């Protein structure tokens, strides 16, 4: 799953060190994130309301817009935070995109797949290979009750420390059961 690239260096070229530092408080806190071509868009709750922020990442320098008052003068912390969120957690921008398991080719593809696929759907696929949830729980060293709780948390958008390792275990079982 190829998404347009953005680097911290690109953000450093147009932002002040202070704004980049302030941006770290907002990383990952955007809602309604999307990517269309090379346009990133997200909404963040700031000190004085919610701000819609965009970054056009295929231009040099990166173009931006934000509804905050600082954006009229400088590359604001919200724009920097949107860029950092995209760099560190690109899957939140592509939740409507799906990568088919058979198209996984790179490490980034694995990360993207794990972050955009629910544990429940992976367990359903594993059960289709005649491996029970109890067996997956046993393999992972958790009880079936813990596994059920982690599945429920994942469906509610909460990430347990074992969510991703369980997804990777399921992915391994699916790929090794051909």
């Amino acid at each position: 799953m190829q998404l347009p690239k953005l680097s911290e260096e690109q953000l450093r070229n147009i932002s002040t060190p202070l704004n980049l530092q302030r941006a770290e408080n907002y990383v990952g806190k955007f809602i309604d994130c999307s990517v269309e071509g090379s346009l990133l868009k997200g909404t963040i709750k700031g000190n004085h309301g919610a701000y819609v922020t965009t970054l056009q990442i295929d231009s040099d320098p990166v173009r931006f817009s934000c509804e905050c008052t600082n954006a009229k003068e400088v590359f604001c912390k919200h724009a920097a935070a949107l860029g950092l969120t995209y760099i560190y957690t690109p899957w939140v921008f592509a939740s409507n995109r799906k990568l088919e398991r058979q198209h996984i080719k790179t490490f980034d593809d694995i990360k993207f797949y794990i972050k955009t696929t629910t544990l429940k759907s992976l367990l359903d696929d594993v059960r289709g290979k005649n491996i029970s949830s109890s067996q997956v729980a046993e393999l992972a060293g958790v009880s079936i009750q813990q596994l059920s709780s982690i599945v429920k948390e994942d469906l509610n958008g909460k990430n347990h420390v074992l969510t991703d390792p369980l997804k990777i275990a399921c992915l391994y079982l699916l790929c090794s059961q051909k």
Side-chain angles (χ1 to χ4, degrees):
M1 173 75 20
Q2 280 296 89
L3 293 172
K5 296 290 184 196
L6 177 67
S7 69
E8 287 185 50
E9 183 178 337
Q10 287 174 282
L11 296 177
R12 282 193 296 274
N13 287 340
I14 59 171
S15 185
T16 65
L18 181 60
N19 273 350
L20 277 176
Q21 182 180 3
R22 289 179 175 165
E24 291 176 7
N25 294 325
Y26 292 95
V27 171
K29 296 182 180 175
F30 283 84
I31 56 172
D32 299 328
C33 292
S34 64
V35 59
E36 291 182 24
S38 59
L39 180 70
L40 309 179
K41 185 176 181 180
T43 303
I44 186 76
K45 182 159 176 24
N47 295 332
H48 304 288
Y51 307 122
V52 174
T53 306
T54 64
L55 290 177
Q56 185 69 43
I57 62 175
D58 65 348
S59 63
D60 187 24
V62 171
R63 291 191 312 263
F64 73 98
S65 70
C66 182
E67 294 176 341
C68 76
T69 55
N70 289 339
K72 293 179 179 101
E73 298 171 22
V74 296
F75 187 76
C76 68
K77 63 186 175 188
H78 309 112
L82 183 66
L84 291 173
T85 298
Y86 181 75
I87 291 168
Y88 299 138
T89 58
W91 49 86
V92 302
F93 288 83
S95 59
N96 62 340
R97 294 184 183 194
K98 282 301 207 187
L99 176 63
E100 298 297 324
R101 196 168 35 245
Q102 63 270 23
H103 294 115
I104 295 173
K105 294 189 179 10
T106 67
F107 180 74
D108 285 340
D109 287 347
I110 294 170
K111 286 192 322 187
F112 183 89
Y113 184 81
I114 294 299
K115 294 298 184 183
T116 59
T117 304
T118 65
L119 180 55
K120 181 184 181 317
S121 69
L122 285 167
L123 286 169
D124 289 345
D125 291 348
V126 167
R127 279 192 291 275
K129 300 283 187 178
N130 295 319
I131 301 170
S132 70
S133 293
S134 298
Q135 289 172 305
V136 173
E138 180 183 342
L139 178 67
V142 298
S143 70
I144 190 67
Q145 292 83 5
Q146 287 173 305
L147 179 61
S148 296
S149 176
I150 294 168
V151 167
K152 192 178 288 187
E153 286 179 1
D154 184 49
L155 289 172
N156 289 325
K158 296 179 183 165
N159 197 17
H160 187 279
V161 69
L162 292 177
T163 304
D164 290 351
L166 282 164
K167 288 179 179 181
I168 291 168
C170 289
L171 187 58
Y172 173 79
L173 290 170
L174 290 165
C175 292
S176 66
Q177 293 288 312
K178 297 210 179 214

